Amino acid sequence: MGIINLLDIQTANLIAAGEVVERPASAVKELCENCIDANAHTITVEIKGGGNSYIRVSDDGCGISDDDLPKAVLRHATSKIRTGADIDGVMTLGFRGEALAAIASVSRLQIITRCHGESIGRILVSNDTDGVVISETGCPEGTTVIVRDLFYNVPARRKFLKKDTTESAAVGAVVEKLALSHPELSFKYIVQGEQKLVTSGDGKLMSTIYAVCGRPFAQTLNEINYTESDMSVKGYISHPGSPRGSRGMQTFFINNRYIRSRTVTAALEEAYSSYIPRGRFPAGILHITINPKTVDVNVHPSKSEVKFSDEKKIFDLVYYGVRSVLMASPERAVFTLAPKEQNDVPDAALVQEQQSHPIPTVQRAAAVFDGARITSADNDIVDDGELHLTLEAQPPETSKAESAQTAMTNEPEYRFVGEVFNAYAIVECSDGLYLIDKHAAHERILYEDLKSSNKRYAQQLFEPVELILSAQECNALLENAALLSQYGFEFKKKQNTLLLTAIPDIISCSASSVNDFISSLASKLTDGDTLPVQERTDRALFTVACKAALKAGIYNDPAHTEWVVRRVMTDERITYCPHGRPVIHLIDRRDIDRFFDR
Ligand code: ADP
Ligand code: MG
């Protein structure tokens, strides 16, 4: 007997559903796209239980006619194309006719709809006990789709869903992208009865950016409006002085459709390459308009990845468009935290980034020296790509008690000779010369200090810094707020934004970089959701330490390097950086003498 079965329609739909609907956010995306295709002006998305238990998407669009309503939930039922030839040049967001069928097969679905000019509406109810039932109902013009108990019949899929807060943040991210792709539409997003976002729909991209990303972020943007033959790129890009710690604020649209594209990302970042350091990213909300026939949106079922018939043309459009704005950009002037000692300078005042930081008083102390710590530097010292960030680390003052205690030990003294290549400290000891990698060493010190006590001292910021973060990043910080506060990071929620109110006392950074810093921290906390929380925290602390450490290749006050040297010479743990690279290397005095025939 043969073993190949023809699957029944329900099973086939269930399998197809997995491709179109992965999680509540993908269902919301499909439902909202249908509203946009139906020429709606106002779209409301409401969810409960992270969208797992309840999703409602309402619009004031054209509605679904009596004839079409039963077909809407069938597979391959679409009003948007008729034949394969129509796929080329499709301008609507949907066209596969799969979404409603897919969602219906994995949930309890209702569609309530009334066409313009009709006196009465219809309600379609679809569930596995009654199948599809349609009846008359009173309702406003437009369409409301309600999805209950998503994946109730696909336990395997449910297992992969994250916590409700994570799922609602993902839904939020989808709504934000859709709102940014259609500034002429008004979006409303409600979670558990609380309104999270509302956009005006006044047609101005800047109004939507204000609503979605907040005012401080909007203020870091420059407008871009560039046309090259029949293509154009419009929108906003970040000021070179306000780079970001992740690609979270890069959002691209082709012909009003949100897309992901390596080509566009590469072009944007390449254009900024001589303006911002490696490891930092530009923000860009770019609307690209091209001939729809030159882009293939049919590559992926969720349609976010696109293929261009001429990638180079798109690259050049974005690259030269962005370049033209950057070249015309005025002098850099950025927000910087004023040094703590200068109380007359208001905190977070507009001052030049090159602001010098106060020099800490470092008291020389006799060193405790343990030869076992010294490692051979067989490993090459590698640039980790984080070396040029503008964060300035500021060693804490050495307390008198601490110095006295160290001074009492009878260990050999050392002499800090100086620093070479803005990277290595040279230290003289009786047994030879030590080379100390200042970045690697400082990174390790910060990492150990952050971890060392249960409760880090938090330094309260004079003025809380309003953070510009993606919904996911925000969520990650809030979920881990208690843990982060143990390390000295404190936050306060203010409406839809998050305020940073304190940072660990051992860290100092400028307001312009603090956001970048915190967003990297947040993304480390969300990376690898499956890892134990301690492991994720550890990685987040690595990032903090790495970003806040003195940078190789960048000049800093010798007192800072000297402070690092003192810690290396007195603390056994500072042997390798958290990434495993050596911190210190001994050139044996006997080898030096031998070399010079002494
Ligand atoms: P597609 O969008 O690919 O055509 P869907 O399964 O998402 O497929 O929707 C099927 C059809 O249902 C659409 O082609 C459209 O005619 C109709 N439809 C779905 N949602 C709406 C809505 N909000 N307003 C009007 N018509 C809708
Ligand atoms: Mg659709």
Side-chain angles (χ1 to χ4, degrees), residues 311-533:
E311 303 274 342
K312 171 92 173 60
K313 259 175 88 175
I314 299 294
F315 183 95
D316 286 352
L317 171 76
V318 174
Y319 177 82
Y320 289 109
V322 172
R323 243 6 233 200
S324 67
V325 176
L326 293 178
M327 304 232 257
S329 197
E331 275 276 274
R332 295 174 50 168
V334 292
F335 282 99
T336 302
L337 279 178
K340 276 184 277 177
E341 278 78 349
Q342 298 178 7
N343 289 335
D344 52 334
V345 184
D347 209 16
L350 193 64
V351 291
Q352 285 298 303
E353 186 155 58
Q354 289 76 14
Q355 182 79 53
S356 64
H357 282 252
I359 303 166
T361 5
V362 179
Q363 292 173 10
R364 287 296 301 277
V368 178
F369 171 65
D370 170 4
R373 283 182 300 117
I374 308 307
T375 65
S376 85
D378 290 339
N379 307 356
D380 281 339
I381 295 184
V382 206
D383 183 321
D384 63 4
E386 298 279 8
L387 299 183
H388 311 288
L389 304 177
T390 55
L391 287 168
E392 277 271 327
Q394 185 188 319
E397 291 189 8
T398 309
S399 76
K400 288 216 173 69
E402 197 185 335
S403 312
Q405 193 187 12
T406 323
M408 279 191 318
T409 56
N410 291 326
E411 299 297 333
E413 273 201 39
Y414 67 87
R415 184 171 69 91
F416 170 56
V417 181
E419 184 177 333
V420 289
F421 313 128
N422 282 333
Y424 307 109
I426 300 187
V427 177
E428 179 194 352
C429 260
S430 57
D431 52 352
L433 287 182
Y434 293 102
L435 293 178
I436 295 173
D437 180 323
K438 74 173 178 188
H439 170 76
H442 194 203
E443 192 181 10
R444 181 69 191 210
I445 294 167
L446 290 174
Y447 175 69
E448 290 298 341
D449 286 356
L450 280 165
K451 278 202 324 182
S452 65
S453 77
N454 274 342
K455 171 92 184 134
R456 271 303 334 154
Y457 285 107
Q459 53 175 327
Q460 301 297 324
L461 301 177
F462 280 133
E463 208 171 275
V465 176
E466 191 165 337
L467 297 168
I468 308 150
L469 301 166
S470 69
Q472 277 104 326
E473 289 169 344
C474 231
N475 192 34
L477 295 176
L478 286 173
E479 273 183 5
N480 294 288
L483 186 76
L484 289 168
S485 98
Q486 276 187 18
Y487 295 105
F489 292 99
E490 287 170 13
F491 303 93
K492 202 166 75 192
K493 220 179 151 210
K494 186 181 137 205
Q495 284 147 5
N496 280 342
T497 55
L498 207 57
L499 299 178
L500 176 71
T501 54
I503 58 175
D505 58 348
I506 54 167
I507 280 173
S508 145
C509 64
S510 66
S512 62
S513 48
V514 78
N515 201 91
D516 162 53
F517 195 103
I518 299 292
S519 82
S520 311
L521 174 68
S523 53
K524 278 284 173 304
L525 287 169
T526 43
D527 273 1
D529 258 2
T530 46
L531 292 173
V533 69

Side-chain angles (χ1 to χ4, degrees), residues 30 33-34 37 80 94-95 99:
E30 291 293 337
E33 288 186 347
N34 282 347
D37 289 344
K80 298 163 194 174
F95 60 84

